[in-house]
Amino acid sequence: MPTVKVFNMAGQEVGEMQLNEKVFGVEINEGLVHQAVVMQLASQRLGTHATKTRGMVRGGGRKPWRQKGTGRARSGSTRSPLWVGGGTIFGPHPRSYSFSMPRKQRRLAIKCALTDKVNSNDFIVLESLDFAAPKTKDVVKLLNDFSVAEKALFVTADVAENVEKSSRNLQGVKAISSNGLNVYDILNHNKLFITKDAIARIEEVLA
């Protein structure tokens, strides 16, 4: 089983913890992780872009000229896609880009992302994480104590309102609960700070 150090909020080591290898020690499947990221980003697309077909463009009700005898090509409407000001052929229309993956694949992708963080030593376990009040400087102090200047993700067992509000004003810093853990946020941040309670909650669900 993988063994990691446990720190307090001041950056001091207070013990060690064994991780469940079924969650934090799996074989990494890069293709599956990529598919999970694409799925998450696709579901966030609004898909509200639209173009008008020839039936939606205003005007064009009268035939421009008679069918025969003019020497010009026959035409039935000035709103044909061949005309300037006409409709658009095969243009985008409102749609949903979202697609789904089987639950086992989604969970395995999260396991792979967590395992990668553990293997690369970007996985920092905290004994606890909470602030008395929402203050950005508390998060800055915490990052400085761990000498972290990169993008950081904080994961708590339950929603920690003060932690989320304190992280909100810092670019590249985000705080989520264990229920909202996802592949994209794990990979999009260089360092992962996670509490012991959150690990227990994650192992209970994923193991």
Side-chain angles (χ1 to χ4, degrees):
M1 289 187 177
T3 302
V4 293
K5 297 178 181 179
V6 180
F7 299 89
N8 58 19
M9 292 177 59
Q12 301 169 343
E13 184 180 344
V14 294
E16 291 185 345
M17 179 180 184
Q18 284 190 338
L19 303 175
N20 192 326
E21 61 183 3
K22 293 182 180 180
V23 179
F24 299 95
V26 301
E27 183 179 354
I28 299 177
N29 186 333
E30 294 183 2
L32 188 64
V33 173
H34 176 265
Q35 186 178 357
V37 172
V38 172
M39 180 194 70
Q40 185 172 343
L41 295 180
S43 65
Q44 295 175 2
R45 296 183 65 177
L46 295 179
T48 54
H49 42 283
T51 54
K52 292 183 179 181
T53 63
R54 62 182 297 166
M56 300 175 183
V57 181
R58 182 179 180 182
R62 180 176 63 86
K63 187 174 175 66
W65 51 75
R66 59 195 177 96
Q67 182 80 349
K68 295 178 178 293
T70 64
R72 289 182 286 186
R74 55 195 173 185
S75 181
S77 172
T78 58
R79 295 301 178 260
S80 164
L82 305 179
W83 285 56
V84 174
T88 301
I89 307 174
F90 304 132
H93 295 286
R95 53 163 290 193
S96 172
Y97 288 89
S98 62
F99 64 93
S100 61
M101 293 172 56
R103 180 187 297 176
K104 288 185 178 180
Q105 289 187 357
R106 295 198 306 268
R107 291 186 172 183
L108 180 56
I110 294 178
K111 294 178 186 179
C112 292
L114 291 173
T115 300
D116 178 67
K117 288 298 181 186
V118 174
N119 294 342
S120 59
N121 295 322
D122 292 327
F123 190 84
I124 302 173
V125 180
L126 298 176
E127 192 174 28
S128 62
L129 178 61
D130 200 6
F131 301 127
K135 292 184 179 180
T136 304
K137 65 179 181 180
D138 291 339
V139 178
V140 174
K141 180 180 182 303
L142 176 62
L143 296 176
N144 291 335
D145 290 338
F146 283 92
S147 301
V148 174
E150 306 98 334
K151 299 170 70 174
L153 177 67
F154 294 101
V155 181
T156 54
D158 299 306
V159 177
E161 188 174 349
N162 288 341
V163 178
E164 290 187 5
K165 289 183 177 180
S166 300
S167 307
R168 193 176 297 170
N169 288 335
L170 293 175
Q171 186 176 5
V173 180
K174 186 176 182 179
I176 60 175
S177 65
S178 58
N179 292 333
L181 191 66
N182 60 86
V183 177
Y184 178 75
D185 280 337
I186 296 174
L187 299 181
N188 193 40
H189 295 83
N190 302 99
K191 295 290 184 179
L192 175 61
F193 290 86
I194 186 168
T195 62
K196 293 176 62 176
D197 294 340
I199 291 177
R201 192 76 60 85
I202 292 171
E203 290 180 343
E204 181 182 354
V205 175
L206 297 182

